[in-house]
Structures are given as C-alpha cells and as structure tokens.
Amino acid sequence: MTNITIIAGARPNFMKIAPIIKAVKAAKAQGEDIEFRLVHTGQHYDKKMSGSFFEQLGIPEPHSNLEAGGGSQAEQTANIMVRFEKELQENPADVVLVVGDVTSTMACSITAKKLNTQVVHVEAGIRSGDLTMPEEINRMVTDSITDHFFTTSEIANSNLRNSGIEEDRIHFVGNTMIDTLLSNIPNFLDPKIEVNGEKLKEKGYFVLTLHRPANVDEEEKLKEMMQAIIDGTGELPVIFPVHPRTAKILQNLGIEHDRLHYVEPLSYLEFNYMVKNAKAVITDSGGITEETTVMEVPCLTLRDNTERPETITMGTNELVGTDPKKLKPYLDKLMAGDWKKGGEIPLWDGKTAERIVERLLEIYQPKLEVNQN
C-alpha cells in the first residue's frame, strides 16, 4: 500500500491537486494499491472556496482542515508546522506531496522531513531569482529538502540540476494547473458582466489583475500605472476583479474611469471564462500567464521577473516590468494586432497528473514490496 498525504493551503493549490486526486482514484480503480489523505492547512480563507468550488473541480472535502490561517508569515508557518506535525503523527504517510510555492508548501515539507517522511514537490524547480518574494523563499527551502521533484518545464529541470540534484530524482511531467484548465474549459461560466447595460463582446475587453506590493503599495506609482492602462487600451472596457477593500482604496485615490470596471472576485470557472474571451490580460500573477498561454490569449505581465519564463519564450506572455512608462509600447503593439502567437509547451497536455501517479507508484511501490518480504 502506498499512502500519500496531499497538502493544499490556498486556492491555486487546490486547482493543482484536483487532477492528482482524480488520477490516484483512477489508479486505485485499476487495482493499484494506493490511498490518499487530503489535508487543507487552512492557510487562506476564501469565500469562493465553498462546496460548489470543490464540486466543480471534482475535489473531495479535505480529510483534515488544520485551520492555521492568519497572522504574520512566521506565525502562519509555525501554526501550520505545529498542527501538521500532530496530523502526520496521527495519520502516518509513506510520502507527503506538496504543490506550488505557498507557505503551506514549505511548512509541511519541513515538518514531514523532520518526521523522516518522504517529500515530493509538484511544480519543483521554478525560480524568479527575486528573494523579496515570499514564494521564492518557499520554493528554495522546499526544494532543498525534497526527495523527488516533479517539474513543469526543461527550465525547471536545469535549475534543479544546477543546484546539484541528481537526474533520477527529477521527473519532467508537465503542469497540473493545465490539466485542470483543459478539463474545465467546457464548464466555464459566463459571469454575465455588463458595461453600461450592454454585454461584453468577445475579444472586446481587457481583464486586469493586480495584487503584488511592487504595483499596489505605492500610491503615486499605482495611479500612474492605472492611467497608463487606461490610456493604452483604446475604447475597450477594462474589467478588474478586485477585493472590495482594494477597490475602495483605488476609488479613494481617485482611480476611476468610464471604461474601468471594478467587479467582485470571480470563481475559477467565471474568471477563466473572462480570460478565454478577452482581447488580452494585464496581470502581475504567475499562474495566469500559464493559462493565457494555453488559451492563446495575449498577456502583459507587470513584473520585473518571472518564475515561468517558458510563457514568454514559447507562449503569449511578455514581461513588461513595473515601470508604468514601459507599458505603452506593448499595448500599442497589441492594439495594432501585432502580438506574437505563441506555441505549444511540451507536456502541457492535460495528462500531467497521470504521469505523476504512475511515477509515484514506480518510485514507492517496489520499495514497500521489498520491505514487506
């Protein structure tokens, strides 16, 4: 029997583990001796993560919710570690599987290793090189103690090799986020957003997301960036799913325009419906750049670095930077219809989770059989 504890701490994590759980269940149905336990650390409370969220993505209710959210980075890390230690002692596993780069990823990896439990990291090896990002610290620490690395790209493989990781511990499998995306395209939901009483036209609007401190913490810079976005998007509406509190800050700063429309945060199926049908996306998120690449939607990333360079070299994404003055040439190119097309990224084919489970069984089943003899 292979017992796997799967960790998720924030909404993007659940989208990454959904296809893995599906693949584990499929392997079990085919007679493989494998079980999983899903642990939600409770790192983020998200009202969009209701029962319908789990149902839409085919995720079972977590076996355990550690409810370790809130507090500073250090407090959150400590809370997760204390509670996950107890969880793992009460429910031992052969392997703890972590995904992505949130605090839960790092905290549960450390806890598992201190209990002499194997750790596998899905989405291992990605790097931005920016140590001011908490996620970069989480990636580096997790990968420094991981036993097996499941990667999304050849760039990630190279990063791991360059840090001294042996080839037989690196498993290039693809991107589980894309598994979730491709399986859900038929289920996308139209949020029916209207502008001045009219429905949005396909390829007739922009989607905007901003959340990183480099873009939203400095008031004057934020004003300048928003003005650059308004100035460069022609006559098209800009739809900005934003937390009501952030929307209030933007409005208090006087950042308002007839074509700028603040809407409440959207569910996964609603948000990706908007992305798929947009003319382009302007964002400072990493994950969205992957989804736009697969859906062949132009993407402008307002960051000075990216941990997903394949979305630029092979996809539809461009790294604009955080200087508002740099945005205009990119928007001019887009509005002139001169944006690059992008191409397919190797193994981003919707079958990543199957490859992960197949590899996990290859790695861990033989060892267990030997131990039982």
Side-chain angles (χ1 to χ4, degrees):
M1 170 77 71
T2 303
N3 283 309
I4 302 173
T5 290
I6 299 174
I7 304 296
R11 193 156 73 126
N13 282 178
F14 281 92
M15 293 164 212
K16 290 168 188 173
I17 58 103
I20 298 173
I21 289 173
K22 185 179 175 185
V24 169
K25 287 180 172 179
K28 189 178 176 184
Q30 289 165 9
E32 296 288 355
D33 205 6
I34 186 169
E35 293 286 350
F36 78 92
R37 181 174 176 83
L38 175 57
V39 175
H40 180 7
T41 66
Q43 178 184 329
H44 287 168
Y45 170 74
D46 186 336
K47 69 178 180 180
K48 295 288 180 187
M49 272 177 57
S50 60
S52 63
F53 171 84
F54 289 97
E55 196 177 313
Q56 285 169 357
L57 295 182
I59 305 169
E61 284 292 325
H63 296 89
S64 173
N65 187 332
L66 305 183
E67 298 181 347
S72 68
Q73 289 272 338
E75 288 168 327
Q76 196 172 78
T77 303
N79 283 337
I80 293 168
M81 290 178 72
V82 168
R83 296 178 193 194
F84 183 57
E85 180 181 57
K86 188 178 179 202
E87 155 67 30
L88 197 53
Q89 286 171 331
E90 291 175 356
N91 301 281
D94 298 309
V95 58
V96 169
L97 183 150
V98 296
V99 298
D101 52 22
V102 298
T103 302
S104 299
T105 307
M106 176 186 71
C108 291
S109 298
I110 294 170
T111 304
K113 287 304 291 181
K114 290 202 171 191
L115 291 175
N116 295 315
T117 302
Q118 291 264 308
V119 171
V120 299
H121 184 199
V122 173
E123 206 180 73
I126 66 173
R127 298 287 184 272
S128 68
D130 182 357
L131 290 174
T132 67
M133 294 172 64
E135 300 97 322
E136 186 74 350
I137 308 293
N138 296 339
R139 292 174 200 128
M140 293 172 70
V141 173
T142 300
D143 282 346
S144 72
I145 56 174
T146 286
D147 294 286
H148 286 275
F149 305 79
F150 292 85
T151 62
T152 61
S153 71
E154 187 52 49
I155 295 166
N157 298 342
S158 296
N159 289 338
L160 292 168
R161 288 186 200 111
N162 292 341
S163 67
I165 303 299
E166 301 90 341
E167 199 68 41
D168 63 354
R169 294 165 60 203
I170 301 171
H171 312 279
F172 178 30
V173 290
N175 191 332
T176 60
M177 197 77 158
I178 303 309
D179 288 19
T180 296
L181 180 72
L182 293 175
S183 66
N184 278 287
I185 285 175
N187 308 321
F188 285 174
L189 295 172
D190 182 356
K192 295 185 166 55
I193 294 168
E194 293 188 352
V195 173
N196 302 324
E198 292 186 10
K199 289 182 180 178
L200 292 168
K201 293 175 182 164
E202 188 175 343
K203 306 302 176 188
Y205 61 91
F206 284 79
V207 170
L208 170 65
T209 78
L210 288 177
H211 72 282
R212 293 195 182 274
N215 288 319
V216 300
D217 280 5
E218 296 176 41
E219 291 185 3
E220 284 309 311
K221 189 174 174 183
L222 178 59
K223 276 186 180 181
E224 199 179 334
M225 182 65 83
M226 292 300 293
Q227 192 59 53
I229 291 167
I230 293 298
D231 290 345
T233 49
E235 297 304 313
L236 298 182
V238 177
I239 309 301
F240 189 174
V242 62
H243 190 279
R245 180 180 156 275
T246 310
K248 195 172 180 182
I249 292 168
L250 290 162
Q251 286 163 340
N252 288 344
L253 288 174
I255 301 173
E256 291 183 301
H257 192 276
D258 290 346
R259 290 189 295 103
L260 178 62
H261 302 275
Y262 299 121
V263 299
E264 290 233 354
L266 300 170
S267 71
Y268 175 78
L269 296 179
E270 290 171 327
F271 180 75
N272 276 299
Y273 176 95
M274 294 295 293
V275 169
K276 187 174 188 294
N277 293 289
K279 182 172 183 67
V281 174
I282 302 171
T283 187
D284 58 7
S285 164
I288 291 170
T289 67
E290 297 176 331
E291 292 160 338
T292 51
T293 280
V294 170
M295 292 192 282
E296 299 179 355
V297 175
C299 184
L300 296 80
T301 298
L302 306 181
R303 287 172 55 182
D304 294 317
N305 51 63
T306 178
E307 64 281 0
R308 293 169 171 88
E310 62 274 14
T311 64
I312 297 167
T313 57
M314 291 185 271
T316 59
N317 183 31
E318 290 284 11
L319 196 64
V320 174
T322 54
D323 180 353
K325 295 182 183 68
K326 291 183 178 176
L327 183 58
K328 186 178 186 302
Y330 289 97
L331 284 172
D332 287 349
K333 193 174 183 181
L334 176 75
M335 298 304 281
D338 192 24
W339 202 259
K340 62 183 179 180
K341 293 290 181 195
E344 289 186 10
I345 295 182
L347 299 189
W348 289 23
D349 57 2
K351 297 175 183 175
T352 294
E354 294 169 30
R355 287 188 282 267
I356 289 172
V357 172
E358 189 178 312
R359 203 64 56 88
L360 284 172
L361 289 167
E362 286 172 7
I363 296 165
Y364 292 104
Q365 288 279 43
K367 288 183 182 176
L368 292 173
E369 287 164 10
V370 168
N371 290 343
Q372 286 167 1
N373 290 335

